[in-house]
Amino acid sequence: MATPRASANQPLTVAQLLELHPWPAAWANEKRIERLWTFDLPGPPEQIWPFVADTNRMNRALGLAQMTFEERGGKRWGSSRSGGVRHEWIEVPWNWVANQWLTCVRLYDRGFSKVMYAIHRVEPIDSGTRLYLYFGAVPRGAFGAAALRLGFPTVERAYRRVVPALAAQLDRLRPDVLMLPPPQLPEQAESRLRSQREQLVNEGLPREAVDALIDWIRTGDDPDLHRIQIRERARVWKIPEEDLLRVALHATRAGLLSLSWDTVCPHCRGVRDENATLSSLAAHSHCDACQVDFTTDKPETVEVTFRVHSSIRDVPEQLYCSAEPSKKDHIRVQRTLAPGAKLSLTPNLDPGRYTVWADRSGGWYLDVDADGARSVTWADHPEGTIVKAASDATVELHNDGDDDRTFTIQRATWSDHALRAGQLLSFQEFRDLFSEEYIGADVRLGVGEQTVLFTDVVGSTAFYASRGDPAAFIEIKKHFDEVFAIVAANRGAVVKTIGDAVMATFTNPVDAVRTSRQIHDAFSPARTDTPIRLRISLNTGPCIAVRLNSNADFFGGTVNIAAKLQALAEGYQIAISEVTYRAPGVADYLAEQNATLEVMSYTSKALPEPVPIRRWTVYT
C-alpha cells in the first residue's frame, strides 16, 4: 500500500492520517470522538517543529489547565483539573521523529476520557509547511462524551488564535504568543534590582552582561528562569560566556540568584535531583523513568544552573504538558513497537554521531555522513559498533522479542549549552566567591577533560637556606599572588598550593600554555627584585574532583603525570605532554611564539609506557 501524502491543495483526511499513525491496537475499535485541524504555514518543517514540539508552552498559550506529574512504579502519572473535574492518567512514553511528527497516548483513571490520542505532524508543501493537529478520545460514558464535544470547539478556537500568531514570528526565539507578560514585582524587589545593578557595575563587572541578566530576572518567562543556563544565555545575548558567568556568580552572592547542582540521567538526560550546595550532591542517583542507577563520576551527569532567588521573584515550575520531544531534544527518534511489529522510518538526520538503543540494550553508533548506506536495519550489535548511514537513509526497525520495545536514535554528543561542574571548579572567580563549597566525602565528581598546570620554584632548598624561613616565606607569598592573578586572567583556577608549588587547572589547553609563558615572563631573567625562578609542567586528560581538607581537589592519572613531568623541566622551561601539545590550538600558539621544542619522554616503573613530551625553553 502506498503511503498517503498530502498534495498542495488536498490535506490528508483523518483516515489517511490514521493510516500513518494508527490508534493503539487495544483501543482501535472503540467508539471515539475525534477532531483534525490543519494549518498551512510559512517556513520549512524544521523551523516549525520546535514550537510544535514544545507542547508545554503551546498548551499554556492555549489556556489549557496546568498539570502535575510524578513517577510511580516506573510509570509517569499525570493529573489536572479541567471543566471542574479532576483528571488522572498514565502518561505513555511518546513516539516521535524530530521535524516530522509526534504522537501521545494517555490512559485515564479518572476524567472525561478513558484514553486520549494526539497526533502532531508537519509536512513540507510548496508554500512552506502543513501542520496537522489531531485529537481523539474514547469518552467515559455519556457525560464524558458531552463534555468532550463541548470542549473541542474551545480548543479549536484557541489554536486558530495561537498558530497564525506564531507563524507571523517564526524568526524569533520565542514568538510573543507563547510568552506571558512579565509579572509586576514588588517595589522592594525592584529597588534591590536597581541597587544591585549599580553595585555589580561598580565592582568592575561588564555593564552589558549586568544589564542583560538583571533585565532577564525582571522580564524573563517562567520556564526559562526555572533553570537558567548561563552558556545558552551568553550565546543568545552575544556576550562572552566568562563575563556572564562572573556576573551570575556575583549576583548569586548578592542574593539575586541561587546556584543549583543538578544531577542528570545519562539515558533520558532529565534532571533527577536539584542540589542547592555542592556538599549536598550525592554520589549515587536514580532515574525512576528509565529505571537506572548512575553515579556522578561522569562529567555529563552534573549540570550547574542558576535560579532567580525567591526573595526577588517567585518562579514555580509550572507544567502544562510533559512535552517529551521538546525536553528530550537529543532523542531524534523514539518509537515503541509491539512484539513482531516492523516499521520503516526516514528520520533525515543531520551529519554526526548517534546512539541507537532498544530500551536499554544496544548502544551502537550510527555515523551519518554523505558516504553512508541508504538503508539501515536494526540489529542487536555489540555496544560500540559503528554503522554508517546517509542523511536520508531509511531505518528499518523490527521488534523480534516477546514484549514491547522502545527504539531510540539519540545524538551521541551532549548539549554544549550546559555548564558542567568541571568548568565551574576550574573558574577562579567561583573558587574565590564560594570558598566554603565542598564536595561530599564519598563523592567522586567527574569534571571531564582538564589541563593541569604545576609550577615549582627552582633551587628552593638553597633559597630557603640563604634567606631564612621568614624572609623566604614572604617572597613565596608574593610570588603566589602574581601566579594566582595570571592564572585567573587566563580563565583558569588555582586548585591548591603544595609547599612553594602551585597546581592550577584549565578547561582550554591553550589558556594553560599561554599562562605558562606569562608566568615565566613575570619572573624573567631581567627581573631583579626577586630571586624566584620557576619550572612548569602541563598535562591534559580526564579528572575527577574529590574532597581533600575541605576543598575541591582534582585527582587522577592526569594530575599525577602533570606533577611527574616537573622532573624534566628546569628554570624557564615548560614540560608539555604530547596530549596537551596535540590539543586544538596549542601547536598554532607555540608557532606564533616562535617556540623551539625539544622532543623528550618521561619514563617511570609505575607507568606502562613512556610519556612523550615537548620541552619549551622560554628563556635561556
Side-chain angles (χ1 to χ4, degrees):
M1 179 186 297
T3 301
R5 295 192 62 83
S7 68
N9 298 315
Q10 295 297 322
L12 296 173
T13 64
V14 169
Q16 289 173 322
L17 187 66
L18 291 179
E19 277 189 64
L20 296 172
H21 310 286
W23 260 74
W27 302 91
N29 297 321
E30 296 284 337
K31 185 177 180 181
R32 57 184 180 256
I33 298 170
E34 54 192 358
R35 298 290 186 272
L36 173 62
W37 307 309
T38 61
F39 299 85
D40 288 354
L41 308 174
E46 55 268 22
Q47 189 178 17
I48 306 293
W49 173 259
F51 305 116
V52 172
D54 191 354
T55 49
N56 184 53
R57 284 185 200 269
M58 179 67 78
N59 286 355
R60 186 184 67 171
L62 295 169
L64 301 185
Q66 191 173 329
M67 301 177 182
T68 60
F69 293 94
E70 62 175 318
E71 307 291 340
R72 299 203 309 260
K75 295 181 179 179
R76 188 167 174 81
W77 286 82
S79 63
S80 68
R81 191 167 189 85
S82 180
V85 173
R86 180 173 175 80
H87 302 260
E88 295 180 357
W89 66 89
I90 295 174
E91 187 91 349
V92 178
W94 293 28
N95 292 314
W96 70 87
V97 175
N99 298 326
Q100 296 182 26
W101 56 264
L102 64 84
T103 63
C104 165
V105 177
R106 288 177 178 154
L107 305 177
Y108 284 82
D109 254 13
R110 297 178 60 179
F112 299 143
S113 305
K114 295 179 180 178
V115 61
M116 186 279 295
Y117 182 51
I119 306 167
H120 293 8
R121 182 180 178 90
V122 290
E123 282 190 347
I125 56 175
D126 292 343
S127 60
T129 298
R130 180 161 289 155
L131 168 63
Y132 296 88
L133 300 171
Y134 168 89
F135 296 92
V138 175
R140 187 181 301 278
F143 177 76
L148 289 167
R149 290 192 177 94
L150 287 172
F152 272 134
T154 301
V155 176
E156 180 180 6
R157 286 193 295 271
Y159 270 116
R160 298 207 179 278
R161 170 181 58 84
V162 170
V163 173
L166 183 156
Q169 296 182 339
L170 289 176
D171 58 336
R172 299 193 182 185
L173 180 66
R174 295 275 189 268
D176 290 344
V177 71
L178 297 182
M179 305 281 283
L180 288 183
Q184 184 68 44
L185 299 183
E187 176 52 34
Q188 182 180 6
E190 289 283 8
S191 177
R192 282 188 61 194
L193 288 174
R194 287 193 297 268
S195 64
Q196 287 299 327
R197 185 193 299 263
E198 293 310 311
Q199 178 63 33
L200 292 171
V201 172
N202 291 338
E203 290 175 7
L205 296 165
R207 179 173 283 277
E208 182 185 16
V210 172
D211 287 345
L213 185 61
I214 296 294
D215 290 342
W216 183 246
I217 291 172
R218 290 182 63 252
T219 65
D221 200 11
D222 282 354
D224 296 318
L225 292 177
H226 181 67
R227 294 183 75 239
I228 300 174
Q229 293 187 310
I230 289 299
R231 303 188 72 198
E232 183 266 348
R233 284 294 95 197
R235 293 170 191 183
V236 170
W237 295 334
K238 296 181 173 56
I239 294 173
E241 286 182 12
E242 181 183 0
D243 287 353
L244 191 57
L245 179 55
R246 290 181 61 218
V247 171
L249 290 172
H250 281 267
T252 301
R253 268 303 184 211
L256 304 182
L257 299 175
S258 58
L259 261 174
S260 182
W261 302 80
D262 304 337
T263 55
V264 178
C265 172
H267 185 66
C268 70
R269 304 190 188 178
V271 176
R272 297 299 102 194
D273 300 294
E274 299 176 358
N275 303 281
T277 62
L278 178 57
S279 60
S280 60
L281 186 69
H284 302 273
S285 191
H286 176 77
C287 179
D288 283 335
C290 299
Q291 291 294 293
V292 295
D293 296 310
F294 59 96
T295 60
T296 57
D297 60 354
K298 299 293 188 295
E300 295 85 6
T301 54
V302 176
E303 294 182 5
V304 183
T305 56
F306 292 82
R307 312 282 193 271
V308 177
H309 197 280
S310 58
S311 64
I312 299 295
R313 177 176 167 183
D314 184 29
V315 185
E317 184 180 21
Q318 296 179 329
L319 300 177
Y320 296 83
C321 188
S322 61
E324 281 195 57
S326 175
K327 294 181 179 179
K328 301 176 182 178
D329 185 61
H330 67 289
I331 300 180
R332 308 310 288 167
V333 175
Q334 178 164 298
R335 186 66 164 87
T336 300
L337 293 182
K342 296 182 179 181
L343 183 68
S344 177
L345 301 169
T346 307
N348 293 317
L349 300 169
D350 291 334
R353 171 160 287 187
Y354 299 81
T355 310
V356 184
W357 298 88
D359 295 321
R360 283 172 292 281
S361 67
W364 50 272
Y365 295 122
L366 191 65
D367 281 4
V368 176
D369 59 38
D371 299 327
R374 302 301 297 274
S375 180
V376 174
T377 300
W378 159 264
D380 202 1
H381 296 297
E383 188 168 340
T385 300
I386 298 174
V387 176
K388 291 190 174 183
S391 291
D392 60 351
T394 299
V395 179
E396 307 285 346
L397 303 178
H398 176 212
N399 181 5
D400 56 1
D402 297 327
D403 300 306
D404 288 354
R405 298 186 81 184
T406 299
F407 296 81
T408 60
I409 301 176
Q410 310 179 14
R411 289 195 187 102
T413 55
W414 286 69
S415 169
D416 63 355
H417 287 324
L419 178 64
R420 305 294 178 197
Q423 293 167 308
L424 198 57
L425 292 175
S426 293
F427 194 67
Q428 189 64 53
E429 207 125 2
F430 168 76
R431 285 183 173 264
D432 292 342
L433 289 171
F434 296 86
S435 58
E436 77 282 1
E437 287 277 19
Y438 63 90
I439 300 172
D442 64 336
V443 173
R444 305 295 178 262
L445 181 60
V447 293
E449 184 176 272
Q450 302 282 332
T451 297
V452 181
L453 176 153
F454 276 95
T455 70
D456 186 37
V457 174
V458 176
S460 59
T461 302
F463 171 63
Y464 276 92
S466 64
R467 292 296 182 102
D469 289 347
F473 174 77
I474 292 173
E475 289 292 340
I476 294 296
K477 179 65 171 63
K478 288 180 180 178
H479 123 273
F480 279 157
D481 292 342
E482 293 187 55
V483 171
F484 290 4
I486 295 170
V487 169
N490 286 283
R491 302 184 295 184
V494 173
V495 176
K496 62 183 176 182
T497 60
I498 311 164
D500 52 32
V502 173
M503 174 185 168
T505 59
F506 302 79
T507 56
N508 185 336
V510 178
D511 290 337
V513 179
R514 184 183 297 109
T515 298
S516 302
R517 170 64 195 255
Q518 291 179 9
I519 289 172
H520 280 322
D521 288 344
F523 297 92
S524 71
R527 185 169 176 178
T528 59
D529 64 323
T530 178
I532 297 291
R533 301 295 183 263
L534 301 170
R535 58 180 164 219
I536 300 173
S537 59
L538 300 172
N539 187 35
T540 301
C543 300
I544 61 171
V546 297
R547 180 181 177 181
L548 183 65
N549 299 326
S550 299
N551 293 317
D553 196 3
F554 283 21
F555 180 81
T558 298
V559 177
N560 186 47
I561 289 174
K564 299 285 188 191
L565 295 185
Q566 290 270 296
L568 295 183
E570 297 298 334
Y572 300 119
Q573 291 183 334
I574 308 168
I576 306 170
S577 74
E578 188 73 9
V579 178
T580 302
Y581 176 75
R582 295 294 179 188
V586 170
D588 291 341
Y589 171 78
L590 291 170
E592 291 171 5
Q593 300 298 308
N594 297 314
T596 300
L597 304 177
E598 302 173 71
V599 178
M600 307 176 68
S601 63
Y602 173 80
T603 59
S604 170
K605 293 180 179 179
L607 298 175
E609 57 188 23
V611 178
I613 73 160
R614 309 287 178 114
R615 188 168 70 183
W616 179 16
T617 302
V618 178
Y619 292 103
T620 56

